[in-house]
C-alpha cells in the first residue's frame, strides 16, 4: 500500500479550482517531486495533505487511513511534517529554542530530549549557531532552521514547499544533501520545487501539475523531455539546454 494516496481531490476557492480532480500516490521511502507553473496548485496540495484546508471533493489517505477532514495537529501527530514556503520562526528565541518549541508542541513519540535537538542541529549544519538569536540568521540559515523545526516533530512523511527558492547554488547543493540524508534515515519526502537542479538530483519520480490537474508522473529525465511539460512549464530553452548536456554526457 502507498504511504500517501491522493484520490480525485478538488479544492475550490470561489470560482477558482486550485485542485481539480487530482490523483497520485507516494510510496514509503520515496523522494517524490512536484513541479508545475505558478498557480498550478502545488502549495494548495500540501495544504490539503497537511489538513490546513479541506478538499471540497475527493479523499486523502495516509497509511491507508482517511485523513482529509482531520485537523492539522492530528495529521502532524500521525507523522506528516511540513517545511513552509515562507519561514516563520519565533523571532525572540534562539536557534535551539526554536527547535525545542517545535518538538514540544508537535511531539508524538516518547519525550523530547535535548540530545535529539543537538542531533537535528548537527544534521542541518547549525550546531555552532544553537545559541544565536534567530534575528541574526541569514536567509539560507533560516531555511535550514525550518528544516530543523520540522524534523523535531519526527515526521515519517515530510512535505517541502520550495525550500530551495532564492538560495545560491552552493546552498541548494547543501540542502539537497540534507534532503537525501534524511531520506536515507527513513523519512519519505514530497518536494514541491522550482529549482530543477535539486529535483533532478533527488527525485526518482516527479508529478507535473497544471491548472490543479495531473499532467504527468514520471522519472525527472522523462518529464524534462515530455513536450507537454516543456510547453506549460519548462520552456524550449530549458529543454534544449538539457538535451545539450545529455549529448555531452554521452560523449
Ligand atoms: N486562499 C486562497 N484564496 C483564493 N485563491 C487561492 C488561495 N490559495 C490559492 N489560491 C489560488 O489557487 C491557485 C493555486 O495556488 P497555489 O498557491 O496552490 O499555486 P502554486 O502552484 O503553489 O504556485 P507557486 O509556484 O506560485 O507557489 C491559484 O490560482 C491561486 O491564486
Ligand atoms: Mg506555492
Amino acid at each position: 500500500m502507498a504511504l500517501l494516496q491522493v484520490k480525485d481531490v478538488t479544492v475550490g476557492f470561489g470560482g477558482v479550482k486550485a485542485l481539480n480532480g487530482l490523483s497520485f500516490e507516494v510510496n514509503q521511502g520515496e523522494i517524490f517531486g512536484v513541479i508545475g507553473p505558478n498557480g498550478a496548485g502545488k502549495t494548495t496540495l500540501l495544504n490539503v495533505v497537511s489538513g490546513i484546508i479541506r478538499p471540497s471533493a475527493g479523499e486523502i489517505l495516509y497509511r491507508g487511513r482517511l485523513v482529509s477532514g482531520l485537523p492539522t495537529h492530528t495529521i502532524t501527530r500521525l507523522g506528516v511534517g511540513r517545511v513552509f514556503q515562507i519561514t516563520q520562526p519565533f523571532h525572540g528565541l534562539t536557534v535551539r529554542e526554536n527547535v525545542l518549541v517545535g518538538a514540544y508542541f508537535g511531539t508524538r513519540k516518547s519525550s523530547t530530549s535535548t540530545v535529539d535537538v543537538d542531533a537535528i542541529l548537527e544534521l542541518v549544519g547549525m550546531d555552532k549557531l544553537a545559541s544565536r538569536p534567530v534575528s541574526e540568521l541569514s536567509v539560507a540559515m533560516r531555511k535550514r532552521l525550518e528544516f530543523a523545526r520540522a524534523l523535531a516533530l519526527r515526521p515519517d512523511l515530510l512535505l517541502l514547499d520550495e525550500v530551495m527558492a532564492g538560495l545560491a547554488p552552493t546552498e541548494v547543493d547543501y540542502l539537497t544533501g540534507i534532503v537525501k540524508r534524511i531520506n536515507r534515515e527513513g523519512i519519505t519526502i514530497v518536494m514541491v520545487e522550482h529549482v530543477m537542479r535539486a529535483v533532478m538530483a533527488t527525485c526518482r519520480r516527479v508529478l507535473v501539475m497544471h491548472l490543479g490537474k495531473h499532467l504527468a508522473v514520471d522519472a525527472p529525465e522523462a518529464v524534462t523531455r515530455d513536450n507537454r511539460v516543456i510547453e506549460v512549464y519548462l520552456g524550449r530553452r530549458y529543454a534544449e539546454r538539457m538535451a545539450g548536456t545529455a549529448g555531452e554526457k554521452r560523449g
Side-chain angles (χ1 to χ4, degrees), residues 192-208:
V192 168
E193 193 54 71
H194 284 293
V195 178
M196 287 304 288
R197 172 193 181 88
V199 174
M200 303 299 283
T202 51
C203 302
R204 202 168 299 163
R205 293 195 305 143
V206 177
L207 164 68
V208 187

Side-chain angles (χ1 to χ4, degrees), residues 13 16-18 36-45 85 161-162 194:
F13 294 115
V16 182
K17 278 187 176 158
N38 297 118
K42 305 179 299 294
T43 297
T44 304
L45 168 63
Q85 193 164 7
D161 198 356
E162 292 195 44
H194 284 293

